[in-house]
Amino acid sequence: MENCIFCKIVAGEIPSPRLYEDDKMIVIRDIEPKAKLHYLCIPKTHFALLTEMDEARAEIVKHCFQTIPTLQETLGLQDGYRVIINQGENGGQTVPHLHIHLLGGEKLGDF
Ligand code: 5GP
Ligand code: ZN
């Protein structure tokens, strides 16, 4: 997808160190961390919203959620973390390429 910042990161057009990568997803650090540790799990396929999920996209999202727990220790999230997917304007989504926030490294406040 043209002009999508996360597609550009996935394609390597914008450099961003990858803490994990496989054929379906990457994990990078958020550029403006909202917690001591703040990662983004970004599917390599472009779509913005959970409402746009078809079977193939659902498989990718499932893969992300199956992989994230295997990375807990590597990412320093073994003591717990928060998983967030912002959706649309009211959800505070600023990048219209579905991504999963992982926040941790400290005791997070209520929200
Ligand atoms: P959203 O608000 O869409 O749920 O989350 C987008 C996130 O992407 C924000 O937390 C923002 O800090 C992060 N972000 C935006 N541009 C970049 C970038 O170029 N590199 C990285 N690593 N994170 C980015
Ligand atoms: Zn994209």
Side-chain angles (χ1 to χ4, degrees):
M1 174 66 85
E2 267 180 55
N3 293 326
C4 171
I5 196 159
F6 286 174
C7 281
K8 287 182 178 170
I9 287 173
V10 166
E13 291 164 21
I14 297 174
S16 186
R18 296 158 194 228
L19 296 119
Y20 175 81
E21 176 172 16
D22 62 30
D23 60 325
K24 296 185 181 66
M25 58 175 259
I26 61 171
V27 176
I28 61 171
R29 288 184 196 279
D30 195 292
I31 206 168
E32 287 180 38
K34 316 294 187 298
K36 196 167 168 193
L37 297 175
H38 186 172
Y39 305 102
L40 301 172
C41 172
I42 305 176
K44 289 186 171 179
T45 302
H46 179 95
F47 65 103
L49 298 168
L50 291 166
T51 49
E52 296 167 18
M53 263 198 310
D54 55 16
E55 284 301 316
R57 289 169 176 175
E59 279 301 319
I60 291 166
V61 173
K62 175 183 160 194
H63 174 79
C64 292
F65 279 105
Q66 284 181 323
T67 304
I68 286 165
T70 71
L71 302 174
Q72 283 177 195
E73 303 236 331
T74 311
L75 298 175
L77 298 173
Q78 62 279 351
D79 295 330
Y81 54 102
R82 186 168 292 159
V83 177
I84 295 174
I85 303 179
N86 293 327
Q87 291 287 275
E89 196 177 340
N90 279 6
Q93 186 176 12
T94 57
V95 179
H97 178 132
L98 190 110
H99 52 282
I100 304 165
H101 294 262
L102 307 174
L103 298 120
E106 62 184 323
K107 178 102 172 126
L108 300 172
D110 295 338
F111 71 101

